[in-house]
Amino acid sequence: MTIGIDQIGMYSPHYYVDLAELAQARDVDPNKFIIGIGQSQQAVAPSAEDIVTMAAAAASEFISKVDTNKIGMVIVGTETGIDASKSAAVIVQHLLDLPENMRTYEIKQACYGGTAALMAARDYVALHPDRTVLVVASDIARYGLASGGEVTQGAGAVAMLVSAQPRILELHDDSQFISRDIADFWRPVYTDMAIAMGKYSNEQYVQFFQDVWANYKAATGHDLADFAAINFHLPYTKMGMKALRTVLPQADEATQNRLNEHYRIATTYSRRIGNIYTGSLYLGLMSLLDGASDLKAGDLLGMFSYGSGAVGEFFSMTLVDGYEKQLSPEDHEAFLDARTKLSVPAYEQMFLNKVPYSAADYSTDPAAITSRFRLTGVKDQQRKYVNQ
Ligand code: HMG
């Protein structure tokens, strides 16, 4: 029996800020942001969108096409939790009008949460092949206005349906993973803004990649030439390339060219959206599948997942015959093109208008454009959502 990704969908808010304009406003050379970091636009979430609404919107890309009675679990991977107790998954289940006879829960380990959810889903389907799992990775990356991490913010979600006999990608049971308790990035519970040890986090990302790749090679016998592409967690589009470059000399020229070109295609969406934490690796995967015309069934894809704190994992997937029929690249391109550009002051205003860390009632911006799922506000300390 094969198990893997049967459906995949994405969502990012309707607003973005142009990073050349942000650079000018911060008195930075725009080439630092565009070339040095590798980001040209950054998604900005209005107050009426959070991880719940974005998760529901990403899943709604395919939910009407699947048999929802077969869904055994909804798992949300996130590090932007909206409650210390209740999971986003049970609200997503409600907003999507899914049946009750399923488990719903949330997983946290920084950007690794999406992969942790995917692996839990794979293991569940292995025991229950007649059921499926809805996995959603949803996050809003915030470091603060004019902070060192500002250029690496972003917002969005990727949803995946995991099933037996998947129609897009077969997931292999070949993971190599490492967990080490380090302080490269974290978010204290009193704030929605992360603390990052910028340079140290970059170094650790590369170190984890090198370590899990070495273990993976030793355990599986695979080398770079076996892969059509290697996808990376993308906190910003230069980051994965920093890691890839350290191993490319192991490969012949044709392999190097192929991996470089597919890396470039895989970063297209992230370059316009920014870091979506748990979903970033999978946004890169979607960007690759949507954009690479030379991929074919049977191609092996490598996946490097990294979540600060930190966990690193390398695993592989194989493209399934007819995978391209399950994708809608034009819709994704059109969606990104149709977004509204914010001036830097308008971005700053939207950034600061957030559900407060207090017991006060709060109303989100009624004029903000959202998906059909919307956070209207907080009343008596309860978040209120609508499916409009
Ligand atoms: P910084 O200090 O602003 O940037 O921090 P820099 O001075 O290191 O410059 C960045 C690059 O721009 C350099 O290139 C410069 O040379 C280049 P590199 O040496 O890296 O190849 N540069 C220019 N290029 C062209 N023209 C110019 C120019 N000027 C400079 N004029 C940093 C950047 C990413 C560290 C910062 O934004 C940050 O702290 N971000 C947040 C942390 C982060 O994203 N870390 C990534 C690894 S950890 C991770 O992936 C996990 C994470 O997703 C969280 C989770 O797991 O939950 C973050």
Side-chain angles (χ1 to χ4, degrees), residues 37-57:
I37 298 287
Q39 294 299 130
S40 53
Q41 298 171 351
Q42 180 174 107
V44 184
S47 55
E49 290 195 304
D50 66 7
I51 55 153
V52 170
T53 61
M54 293 193 304

Side-chain angles (χ1 to χ4, degrees), residues 48-247:
E49 290 195 304
D50 66 7
I51 55 153
V52 170
T53 61
M54 293 193 304
S60 69
E61 188 174 330
F62 58 74
I63 208 75
S64 61
K65 292 195 285 177
V66 305
D67 181 355
T68 54
N69 289 311
K70 288 177 101 184
I71 300 178
M73 308 201 284
V74 177
I75 315 175
V76 172
T78 187
E79 54 179 302
T80 321
I82 43 98
D83 192 287
S85 172
K86 186 172 177 176
S87 83
V90 70
I91 314 174
V92 169
Q93 177 224 19
H94 172 72
L95 286 176
L96 292 174
D97 209 15
L98 299 179
E100 281 185 5
N101 62 331
M102 60 176 63
R103 295 184 183 131
T104 52
Y105 62 95
E106 197 171 294
I107 284 186
K108 176 180 70 181
Q109 176 33 57
C111 298
Y112 176 70
T115 300
L118 183 64
M119 295 305 163
R122 197 259 322 272
D123 295 352
Y124 174 86
V125 173
L127 275 181
H128 308 279
D130 53 333
R131 306 218 63 174
T132 62
V133 179
L134 177 61
V135 166
V136 197
S138 185
D139 272 302
I140 301 177
R142 289 163 63 85
Y143 296 90
L145 299 178
S147 67
E150 184 180 33
V151 64
T152 60
Q153 297 176 150
V158 174
M160 295 172 272
L161 189 77
V162 177
S163 74
Q165 274 75 54
R167 287 172 287 178
I168 299 179
L169 284 152
E170 177 188 351
L171 193 46
H172 301 301
D173 189 10
D174 60 356
S175 288
Q176 286 294 319
F177 31 74
I178 289 175
S179 295
R180 289 180 193 136
D181 181 10
I182 59 166
D184 61 330
F185 166 106
W186 64 97
R187 179 171 70 77
V189 288
Y190 66 86
T191 175
D192 62 5
M193 288 189 259
I195 296 168
M197 302 293 121
K199 298 270 180 283
Y200 179 61
S201 70
N202 287 353
E203 286 161 18
Q204 288 301 312
Y205 177 114
V206 174
Q207 189 63 55
F208 271 72
F209 171 67
Q210 290 178 337
D211 291 350
V212 290
W213 170 244
N215 292 350
Y216 182 86
K217 273 204 316 182
T220 63
H222 278 310
D223 63 24
L224 291 176
D226 296 329
F227 291 95
I230 297 183
N231 293 295
F232 287 82
H233 165 55
L234 295 171
Y236 55 97
T237 71
K238 182 103 161 279
M239 186 69 244
M241 182 47 76
K242 282 175 190 267
L244 180 60
R245 270 192 200 131
T246 66
V247 297

Side-chain angles (χ1 to χ4, degrees), residues 7-11 58-59 61-62 157-160 286 332:
Q7 295 294 312
I8 191 162
M10 62 181 261
Y11 179 76
E61 188 174 330
F62 58 74
V158 174
M160 295 172 272
M286 290 190 77
H332 299 144

